[in-house]
Amino acid sequence: MTVHYNRLTKEPYLRLPTPLSNIIITPHRLENIDETATALAEILNDPRVYPWLEGPPYPYQHEDGVKWIEAKCKENEDVLSTLRRYLEQREGMSNSKSAAVVSKQDREFIDTCPFTCIREVLEEDAASGAPLKDRLIGDMTLARYTFYEHPHDSEERSEAQRRNNELPTGDENIIWALGDFLAPSHHGKGIMSLAIRTLIHEWGIPHMNVRHLRCCAFQGNEGSLKVFERNNFERGVTLKDWVPVSESRGGGRKSIVLMTWRGA
Ligand SMILES: CC(C)(COP(=O)(O)OP(=O)(O)OC[C@H]1O[C@@H](n2cnc3c(N)ncnc32)[C@H](O)[C@@H]1OP(=O)(O)O)[C@@H](O)C(=O)NCCC(=O)NCCS
């Protein structure tokens, strides 16, 4: 179980296993904010992506991406500096030329997941294998669950969220949720199935103590449901006409399918 460390850019990252080891999951970066915001806008305005998502604004402006990335970088500042310090200490203790790694035995649990950007590596450092050039192809979030089974804006939903949010870091009763999207150019290659597996097993379980996971998808999003099933989630109830859809996305309400993880 490893978090990789790019010594050249000082960036911790996760890497998908073979045959998709050209795909990495990184934190957001301020240094290429314009490029990433452009990629986000391109993906999130695509008709093969935006109709399946509830959260992001639509149409998605470059400025939305810039604000999102700035917020994410700020939110992850502390956890990333702790991780960097740790990985650099390990590197100091080791003469190995391979990428530095962090293992679960050496860490306290962490409450957030800084690994959100799915990137395709375009160029690697020949000596260390560290990514030198990449591009954003998708996004994933692992955050505390928001209890879709309770009606939107209901007291029950706020109360369930409050109780879940109050559980301390590393508590095995915390319910976590996953969300994701991928550039259509990369659909159907098994990337999201393996990205979710990597995020759960390389970060969520060992570093956040994730024991309970739920997610949901709009009814009819067979691709998404399948990806979660491949990761040991099972389909639960379908809630008819449940999630309010913004006017810019066509308004009305969409039905959702709830999914629960069976565990590692
Ligand atoms: C859903 C999504 C993340 C899937 O990612 P992906 O990398 O293309 O999925 P994978 O290649 O890992 O596919 C996994 C399985 O789902 C199937 N699948 C993928 N897209 C599908 C689709 N549109 N319809 C039916 N099955 C589909 C694949 O054939 C594969 O099945 P298999 O195990 O039998 O081979 C991607 O299509 C996407 O970003 N969609 C738009 C945004 C979205 O829906 N996000 C999720 C919101 S809940």
Side-chain angles (χ1 to χ4, degrees), residues 1-5 12-16 83 87 90 99-104 115 198 201-203 206-207:
M1 273 179 232
T2 59
V3 173
H4 295 264
Y5 188 55
Y13 64 98
L14 305 176
R15 192 188 272 278
L16 271 55
L83 262 179
L87 288 158
R90 275 185 65 101
V101 296
V102 56
S103 71
K104 73 169 176 178
F115 302 106
T198 302
H201 290 273
E202 308 291 307
W203 180 259
H207 299 290

Side-chain angles (χ1 to χ4, degrees), residues 10-31:
K10 302 194 177 304
E11 181 178 74
Y13 64 98
L14 305 176
R15 192 188 272 278
L16 271 55
T18 1
L20 290 171
S21 53
N22 61 324
I23 307 293
I24 57 175
I25 313 173
T26 78
H28 272 294
R29 306 167 180 154
L30 286 177
E31 58 273 22

Side-chain angles (χ1 to χ4, degrees), residues 117-131:
C117 299
I118 306 176
R119 300 181 191 268
E120 178 177 33
V121 177
L122 303 172
E123 199 183 319
E124 282 185 349
D125 177 54
S128 65

Side-chain angles (χ1 to χ4, degrees), residues 40-129:
L40 275 178
E42 194 178 320
I43 300 169
L44 289 171
N45 287 322
D46 192 293
R48 290 163 291 181
V49 175
Y50 79 80
W52 299 114
L53 302 177
E54 183 203 358
Y58 178 77
Y60 196 89
Q61 312 289 350
H62 185 269
E63 191 50 28
D64 294 322
V66 169
K67 283 194 194 129
W68 177 254
I69 296 161
E70 283 172 349
K72 287 289 141 191
C73 289
K74 183 125 203 66
E75 201 177 297
N76 289 327
E77 245 168 33
D78 287 351
V79 62
L80 286 175
S81 74
T82 307
L83 262 179
R84 262 186 216 111
R85 220 174 23 249
Y86 181 83
L87 288 158
E88 278 169 10
Q89 268 170 19
R90 275 185 65 101
E91 190 183 11
M93 288 188 290
S94 156
N95 292 323
S96 162
K97 280 197 177 143
S98 63
V101 296
V102 56
S103 71
K104 73 169 176 178
Q105 293 88 337
D106 304 324
R107 292 199 44 77
E108 297 289 310
F109 289 122
I110 292 175
D111 203 46
T112 55
C113 176
F115 302 106
T116 52
C117 299
I118 306 176
R119 300 181 191 268
E120 178 177 33
V121 177
L122 303 172
E123 199 183 319
E124 282 185 349
D125 177 54
S128 65

